Structure formats: structure tokens, C-alpha cells
Amino acid sequence: MFRSNKIKHIFSTILAAALLFSFEASAAVTGITTPYAKLPQDTNIDEYVVDVNSANGTTRSYHVFSQGASTLSEKSYVAIHGCAVSALTTILTAHSPKYADYTPTMTYQTLEKKVFGLKKWRANYSKRPAKQMPVSLYGITRILSYCGIRSKYVRNFKDAKAVKEIENHLRKGKPVIIEVNNHRQTNGRISRKYDKKWATTKHTMALLGMTNTGNVIVADSATRLWSGTNQRIKYTKMSSLVHYMVPTKSKSRSLYYTSIKANGGYILVY
């Protein structure tokens, strides 16, 4: 009788451990998502604040900015070249209380100058507006580091691996910043045909998380007619979006954008 009870106890322990492992494995696959039903469907405004589920059961409030905001001149730097600084500021507002109220204009006029130094900052902004360049992905990592936010710049990638890495990162409740092109690509081979779904020329956006329906939550400073009322926040499959991203083998340390071949890739933000 004692032996029988002992065997039952061992079996119960093994079964419980198996169920626990199964639950943890399932949770690891599912990860952190934000219910699509709780996310906005009408964000065609100058600035939208969206709450996205993050690590440890918390949420992050991201401010997403429009480059076509009514408060901006059509000839302003943010309106013309401000996609990258808008994406960066979106991340800063949610990851550092110090910058929670920052705008893209404040970021490029104050923070860029402080981090890059006056000489390099002036070298970009002393040019006529058409020749001023957006902050590069490398430049963004420099600013994130200064603000105490860890990041990893992934320059070169294959599509399938990038989709997996980015989705896994988002499912940990951590955002990603990407560069997209006006041509589709497959594993670095760029089509000659124009496809301006996500970029008229080149464009930088922030990915804030995943929905429970498997879509990526995209913070976008640009307005696209195809997206209807979903403007500051858009939704798409990562497997589709990756074909607008461009890998690069370059190790450019330019603080400002020079070319898609030098400044492509994506940033994992921690």
C-alpha cells in the first residue's frame, strides 16, 4: 500500500511538472501581446498616445507623431525629413520619464545637438532644408545609449530570420525601429519596380508590439491613403513588412542618413 501511494505521488509530480512545462512553453510561444480589440482604429491626428502591453505585466504609453501636424510648417525639418526623429521620440516618450513630453522638434534641436556635439549637428542643419538629412539608425543608437536605453543595431539579415527575431523581441514587450524602402526586396535582392506602400523614398518607423491576432503594431509618422483612418497606428504582418526593409553589410558610423546601403537594417530596443 505504501509503495502504491509512493508511485502515485511520483506520477502526480511528473504529471504536474509536465503540465507546468507545457504551460510555460505555450506562454513562451504566445508571449506578450496587446488585444486588437483594445487598440485604436482611428488615429488620423497630429499626435496619438497608444498603450501597449510590455514586460512584467506593465504597459507603455507611446506618443506617436504626425509629420503633417497642423502645428508644423510644410517646410520644417520634421515635415520634410522627420520620420527618423519622430520614431526615435516615440520610443523616448515611453522608455524614459525625462523625455515623456518631448516632441520630434525638441529631440533634433536639443538632444541631437547635445549627443552629437555642436560641430556635427551644425554640419547637417546648416545646409539648405532639402539637403538636411534624417538621423541615421546608428545615430539613433547613440542617442538611446545617452538616454540610458539599451539597443542592438542589426545591419545585415535574411528575411525569415529577421521576422523571427523581430516578432520574438516584440513578444517580449520590447520595441523595434526599422528602415523601409520604396522597393520590395527578398534577402537583400531589391526589385527595380517601385512599391511605395510604406515609403515614398526611404522611411523610418517604430514597431511597438504584437496584437493577439498576430499583427505588428506600427507607429508611423506618415499618412498613407491605403490605411484609411489607421494612420499614426497601423497594423500589418511582419512577414509582409520585412520585404520593404533593406539589409546592409556596411558598418557606417554616419550620424545622419547617407544611403539605404549604408543605413539599412533595424534596431532592437531593450
Side-chain angles (χ1 to χ4, degrees):
M1 182 68 178
F2 174 77
R3 181 178 177 81
S4 175
N5 287 339
K6 185 175 182 180
I7 292 173
K8 288 180 180 179
H9 176 72
I10 293 172
F11 178 76
S12 297
T13 302
I14 293 172
L15 179 61
L19 290 172
L20 178 61
F21 175 80
S22 175
F23 173 78
E24 288 179 344
S26 176
V29 171
T30 303
I32 297 168
T33 62
T34 301
Y36 181 71
K38 292 185 177 181
L39 287 163
Q41 301 300 318
D42 187 354
T43 58
N44 190 17
I45 59 177
D46 289 354
E47 179 180 340
Y48 191 89
V49 182
V50 62
D51 292 329
V52 177
N53 289 341
S54 186
N56 303 318
T58 62
T59 61
R60 290 190 185 275
S61 296
Y62 291 93
H63 293 241
V64 187
F65 305 91
S66 170
Q67 289 179 254
S70 57
T71 55
L72 296 171
S73 164
E74 292 182 359
K75 297 180 180 180
S76 69
Y77 172 78
V78 172
I80 301 172
H81 305 292
C83 60
V85 74
S86 294
L88 168 60
T89 307
T90 291
I91 300 301
L92 293 177
T93 59
H95 286 254
S96 176
K98 183 176 180 179
Y99 305 104
D101 296 321
Y102 256 55
T103 65
T105 299
M106 293 168 68
T107 300
Y108 95 82
Q109 289 185 347
T110 303
L111 199 51
E112 278 186 28
K113 188 189 300 182
K114 187 179 294 184
V115 177
F116 298 161
L118 184 59
K119 183 178 180 180
K120 291 181 179 179
W121 185 86
R122 277 182 175 168
N124 186 57
Y125 294 107
S126 62
K127 299 174 183 176
R128 61 188 177 89
K131 293 293 185 180
Q132 294 171 8
M133 287 290 105
V135 60
S136 68
L137 292 188
Y138 172 73
I140 287 175
T141 65
R142 289 277 302 274
I143 293 174
L144 290 174
S145 178
Y146 175 86
C147 296
I149 302 169
R150 291 193 305 114
S151 66
K152 176 185 176 183
Y153 183 9
V154 180
R155 297 175 184 265
N156 193 22
F157 61 84
K158 296 295 184 182
D159 295 348
K161 185 176 180 181
V163 170
K164 183 177 180 180
E165 181 173 49
I166 290 172
E167 287 189 346
N168 286 344
H169 193 76
L170 294 172
R171 289 181 188 276
K172 293 176 182 177
K174 300 171 183 178
V176 180
I177 299 174
I178 65 171
E179 190 82 17
V180 290
N181 195 10
N182 58 357
H183 295 262
R184 289 172 60 86
Q185 65 85 34
T186 301
N187 294 321
R189 290 173 294 159
I190 302 175
S191 169
R192 292 184 179 181
K193 184 179 178 180
Y194 283 95
D195 188 330
K196 298 182 180 181
K197 181 175 182 178
W198 289 101
T200 304
T201 53
K202 309 294 180 285
H203 191 51
T204 308
M205 303 185 295
L207 311 181
L208 307 182
M210 297 286 295
T211 70
N212 61 328
T213 56
N215 282 332
V216 178
I217 304 167
V218 183
D220 191 0
S221 60
T223 296
R224 312 289 178 193
L225 292 178
W226 59 262
S227 196
T229 59
N230 291 332
Q231 290 301 333
R232 302 295 70 76
I233 303 295
K234 298 180 175 74
Y235 307 96
T236 190
K237 295 293 184 183
M238 192 63 228
S239 57
S240 172
L241 187 57
V242 74
H243 292 293
Y244 295 87
M245 298 165 55
V246 182
T248 176
K249 294 182 180 179
S250 168
K251 294 185 179 180
S252 170
R253 291 181 176 270
S254 171
L255 298 172
Y256 293 97
Y257 183 89
T258 56
S259 71
I260 194 69
K261 291 183 178 180
N263 305 120
Y266 56 91
I267 301 170
L268 304 173
V269 181
Y270 294 92

